[in-house]
Amino acid sequence: MRWTVLTLFPEVFRPPWSAGLFGKAVEKGILEVDLVNYRDYAEGRHKVVDDTPFGGGSGMVIKVEPVARALLELRTKNPKVHVVLLTPQGALLNQAKVRRLCGHGHLALLCGRYEGVDERIRRLVDEELSIGDYVLSGGEPAAWVLMDAVSRLVPGVLGSEESVCEESFSEGSLLEYPQYTRPREHSGLEVPEILLSGDHQAIARWRRRQALLRTVRRRPELLESLSMTEEERTWLLEQERFEGD
Ligand code: 6GU
């Protein structure tokens, strides 16, 4: 998968993509990351990329021409590139959207500034996305979040393909069950006996129930899209009488 990040701060993207799993995937050629500074597409000696808003007001607005030139070049080289504008006004990113984006061979992320981008830039992109209901100073951290969420689904990026399908939000929308590793006891807190039993069927049932319980307690709205057996439903109702998770 190829990523093109259009940003005024390309240096922000180097560290996350040179380390860990993603660094390895880049080395292996599974992921490719191009950083484009749209300042390079600005005109004049001062390479101006932003300007004061028409109508007045505080802050600067990203100009349309440098972005238009950068995107024109990108689309000419690859007509199939899918261009995403990162903005708090975009549709909320979720795992379903992440899976859909994963189907594109080449994604271009356009990072805006929080003060705004010229409205006409919106016509040049394929979609607008936000990563949550809070305001960042720029789209760069949001682009990083999106790249992480999508890239880890690209085959070969994570160690095992299996771990991808088992986790939260993949199967219906269930949060993950509790995990433990050694030691068996820490400060009086013990690993649930069943996980040491070696009974794989019982463990699978316990995990499924814990995942359901955790979802009901923490994110009840996620359960709507989930199918449960009658037995699971009854068990959950029984648990509701107890506190904690
Ligand atoms: Cl994509 N950009 C900015 N500036 N703030 C955000 C965001 C994006 N998503 C949530 N907050």
Side-chain angles (χ1 to χ4, degrees), residues 201-220:
Q201 214 178 339
I203 291 171
R205 198 175 69 144
W206 181 86
R207 284 180 164 167
R208 162 88 180 165
R209 287 179 166 185
Q210 292 301 312
L212 286 169
L213 190 58
R214 189 159 270 196
T215 309
V216 167
R217 288 185 171 160
R218 297 185 182 194
R219 301 287 306 278

Side-chain angles (χ1 to χ4, degrees), residues 1-4 6 32 34 69-83 103-108 124 126:
M1 165 170 284
R2 182 179 205 130
W3 292 97
T4 303
L6 298 111
E32 210 174 320
D34 304 323
R69 276 188 217 108
L71 288 180
L72 179 65
E73 187 179 305
L74 198 61
R75 288 194 192 276
T76 307
K77 282 190 197 153
N78 180 9
K80 284 193 181 154
V81 63
H82 185 76
V83 182
H104 293 278
H106 184 182
L107 285 163
L124 306 174
D126 298 305

Side-chain angles (χ1 to χ4, degrees), residues 7 16 28 32 37 41 48-49 66 89 95 121 133 137 163 178 220:
T7 169
K28 282 193 246 167
E32 210 174 320
N37 190 335
Y41 296 84
V48 176
V49 288
Q89 294 151 48
Q95 193 65 21
I121 288 177
D133 292 331
S137 58
S163 62

Side-chain angles (χ1 to χ4, degrees), residues 97-167:
K97 290 196 181 80
V98 167
R99 280 196 295 267
R100 173 173 55 70
L101 288 171
C102 192
H104 293 278
H106 184 182
L107 285 163
L109 306 179
L110 181 54
C111 305
R113 297 271 84 205
Y114 110 96
E115 291 96 340
V117 299
D118 188 301
E119 188 63 21
R120 291 162 292 190
I121 288 177
R122 298 181 194 279
R123 303 284 195 94
L124 306 174
V125 305
D126 298 305
E127 68 179 310
E128 297 176 36
L129 290 173
S130 161
I131 63 161
D133 292 331
Y134 41 81
V135 181
L136 303 168
S137 58
E140 285 79 8
W144 182 16
V145 166
L146 177 61
M147 288 164 84
D148 187 304
V150 174
S151 296
R152 59 183 287 287
L153 300 184
V154 173
V157 172
L158 288 190
S160 118
E161 316 267 305
E162 196 186 25
S163 62
V164 173
C165 319
E166 269 188 17
E167 21 163 83

Side-chain angles (χ1 to χ4, degrees), residues 28-46:
K28 282 193 246 167
I30 301 169
L31 298 175
E32 210 174 320
V33 183
D34 304 323
L35 303 172
V36 172
N37 190 335
Y38 43 85
R39 192 178 297 280
D40 295 341
Y41 296 84
E43 281 187 321
R45 203 159 54 87
H46 296 294

